[in-house]
Amino acid sequence: MRPKFRVSWVVVAGSAAALLVGWAPCSGEEATFDFRVDRFELELTGPVALRRGIDFVEEFDDQTLSAWHTEYGTAFAADGFLHLASPGTELPDGLGVLPGTTLDLSLVSSARQVADGEGSFVARSYWEPDELAPGDFNHMSLATLGRDPPGLSEVAGLAITNETRDGEPAAYTMVQHLVRFGAGGPEAPQLSTVAIEPSAITGQIVFELRFDDDANTLETAFSLDGGATFERPFQPLPIFVGTSYGYGYFVLGADPQTNTVRTRAPAPPLCASGALIGNVKVVSSARPGSTISVKGSIPLRRRRYDPRRAGAEIRIVDRSLPETPILDVTSAAALRGGPGCGSHDGWRRVRNGFVYRNETGALPPACTPGSAGGLTRLRFRNRPRVRLSDGRFVPGGLVFEVDLATAWHPLPGARIATTIVLGDTTGSGPAAPCATLEVRCVASDASVRCE
């Protein structure tokens, strides 16, 4: 078991002190935050890859976060994301570096380790472009420990922060940081920055750390469009310096300040209790009036579930376009029972399940044209448990099929996340059974296959 080694505050406080001298955000009654990490991936080369495997990919589908240690604050998995949320762990005066400022940390560290001398690696983390309020500081770092000299350690990585002053237009800053600790305490932080226009962020924010084992350097890069393109404005950092042996692990942290004012509170997770389970595929729809069909099953067999009474919610998101869901009939737009906007709209019972149809393109009560988001049909069907010839059982569950009329089409590399809620969260609350399923799309001949 690796020792507990909390170093995030040094990165935060050192970077914030250098960037935010003489500035403090407006005060507020309560700072709520929820920053979402969609994916972490690690690719190894060299001797370590032969023993541990080349790749490690974390989609945050394990609600226990078994591959991560929560070092500070609040961290949980929901909707297919790692949420770094409030309440955080409060650190008054930035542990002496920022007098009068209290940091509010939520941070996890990886159980997966890397080591000097065992090969090079590339690590990336994919963050939703959640709004950064002044004082916010989100980062991915590599923390190292060495044995020669004893106690030598380093923290290096990338962060994005908002250093907007009162009355100024919003401005973000990308920070490359390196803090080294020796017997005499921390050395002066090595910081490099570039300005980021918030309007330049068109997809997920990706942090990349690339370690060269031969040169013992760490090169950083970042993407503002979900990984389609990367920028590399910084010089490589010397890492694992002065150690005859060293190992490291990764840190993902959200380090806002407690008096931060936000223009809007973060939305609660749609499916806080559901994991990335079941299966799903995206295909062309054969039904007239529809273009795309999303089909899948979840191991939730709800014999007493009746959407005519309980309602249903569904959200389908292309991870590369997180702010514009393919379909979002949730909350006020949930599919409730009762009459629809047309005589053929609404739920009805069918053999072994239920079907919802929408021919008007609108949802009650306002029946605004287009409010159905392109949904034309949703089918739920109970699937019984089946016993195979070898004695094993195929578990029962709920099969669903969603038909859409949409201009969207999946592209190679797209990751499509579908969340199903068996109920109306405005009425039944977050306890409604739910599940989130994800599929990656790949090129197949002249088409794209997502299954």
Side-chain angles (χ1 to χ4, degrees):
M1 178 181 297
R2 68 169 177 81
K4 180 85 78 172
F5 181 55
R6 295 183 170 179
V7 295
S8 175
W9 69 270
V10 179
V11 177
V12 177
S15 299
L19 292 170
L20 309 177
V21 171
W23 168 83
C26 299
S27 61
E29 295 181 358
E30 182 180 2
T32 59
F33 61 93
D34 184 0
F35 296 104
R36 297 169 293 170
V37 185
D38 179 33
R39 178 182 173 92
F40 175 86
E41 57 190 26
L42 173 65
E43 180 179 356
L44 303 166
T45 59
V48 69
L50 300 177
R51 298 198 307 272
R52 301 183 189 174
I54 296 176
D55 299 321
F56 169 71
V57 176
E58 173 64 87
E59 302 282 8
F60 299 109
D61 57 353
D62 181 357
Q63 288 182 277
T64 65
L65 289 178
S66 59
W68 300 85
H69 304 276
T70 300
E71 304 279 10
Y72 291 105
T74 303
F76 61 93
D79 290 347
F81 296 106
L82 164 66
H83 292 253
L84 299 170
S86 53
T89 299
E90 295 188 2
L91 298 180
D93 295 326
L95 289 182
V97 181
L98 292 174
T101 299
T102 300
L103 299 177
D104 199 17
L105 274 62
S106 288
L107 178 146
V108 298
S109 60
S110 68
R112 189 67 180 262
Q113 298 176 358
V114 292
D116 184 23
E118 293 190 339
S120 302
F121 64 78
V122 179
R124 298 186 184 94
S125 59
Y126 295 73
W127 298 63
E128 289 292 278
D130 296 312
E131 180 183 12
L132 295 174
D136 287 345
F137 187 94
N138 296 342
H139 64 99
M140 172 185 176
S141 304
L142 173 69
T144 74
L145 286 173
R147 293 183 176 176
D148 185 14
L152 182 66
S153 59
E154 303 157 315
V155 180
L158 277 177
I160 187 168
T161 183
N162 183 343
E163 57 176 338
T164 303
R165 290 171 170 80
D166 289 344
E168 295 183 355
Y172 294 169
T173 302
M174 191 68 68
V175 185
Q176 176 181 269
H177 53 261
L178 170 62
V179 182
R180 187 169 290 119
F181 306 80
E187 300 177 3
Q190 299 180 36
L191 304 172
S192 300
T193 66
V194 295
I196 300 294
E197 287 291 336
S199 60
I201 301 174
T202 59
Q204 292 181 330
I205 299 168
V206 186
F207 296 142
E208 178 183 278
L209 305 181
R210 185 179 295 267
F211 174 63
D212 185 328
D213 195 27
D214 294 329
N216 270 33
T217 57
L218 189 73
E219 181 182 0
T220 65
F222 62 88
S223 173
L224 306 178
D225 56 13
T229 61
F230 279 87
E231 300 180 41
R232 306 178 186 276
F234 304 118
Q235 293 297 314
L237 296 169
I239 203 74
F240 288 114
V241 171
T243 61
S244 60
Y245 168 82
Y247 74 90
Y249 56 92
F250 299 95
V251 174
L252 304 174
D255 304 357
Q257 299 179 20
T258 56
N259 59 349
T260 297
V261 175
R262 302 186 186 278
T263 58
R264 60 180 183 269
L270 177 63
C271 183
S273 61
L276 284 159
I277 53 178
N279 61 80
V280 67
K281 63 180 179 180
V282 182
V283 298
S284 296
S285 176
R287 295 184 178 276
S290 301
T291 59
I292 293 292
S293 187
V294 181
K295 305 177 180 180
S297 64
I298 50 181
L300 295 173
R301 184 163 172 79
R302 309 295 295 181
R303 292 184 178 275
R304 298 182 181 179
Y305 169 63
D306 186 339
R308 297 174 299 178
R309 296 194 304 268
E313 298 187 1
I314 181 168
R315 178 182 292 156
I316 305 175
V317 177
D318 184 337
R319 295 294 201 202
S320 63
L321 304 167
E323 300 304 317
T324 54
I326 302 163
L327 176 67
D328 192 3
V329 284
T330 63
S331 188
L335 303 178
R336 300 179 177 87
C341 297
S343 58
H344 298 289
D345 289 4
W347 292 100
R348 65 185 178 91
R349 181 183 286 278
V350 295
R351 176 181 169 83
N352 205 26
F354 298 88
V355 65
Y356 174 89
R357 298 184 187 278
N358 190 296
E359 296 183 0
T360 64
L363 295 176
C367 292
T368 305
S371 56
L375 175 66
T376 61
R377 177 178 175 271
L378 170 60
R379 169 74 189 270
F380 285 136
R381 177 173 59 85
N382 285 313
R383 182 185 64 193
R385 188 174 71 156
V386 177
R387 183 171 183 173
L388 303 177
S389 58
D390 60 3
R392 294 180 300 151
F393 285 92
V394 176
L398 192 67
V399 177
F400 66 88
E401 182 176 353
V402 185
D403 287 293
L404 303 172
T406 175
W408 172 84
H409 288 280
L411 298 175
R415 293 166 50 234
I416 314 304
T418 300
T419 299
I420 300 283
V421 181
L422 303 185
D424 171 10
T425 54
T426 60
S428 58
C434 62
T436 300
L437 310 94
E438 189 168 299
V439 64
R440 181 179 290 275
C441 302
V442 299
S444 176
D445 299 327
S447 62
V448 178
R449 186 179 73 253
C450 309
E451 57 183 17

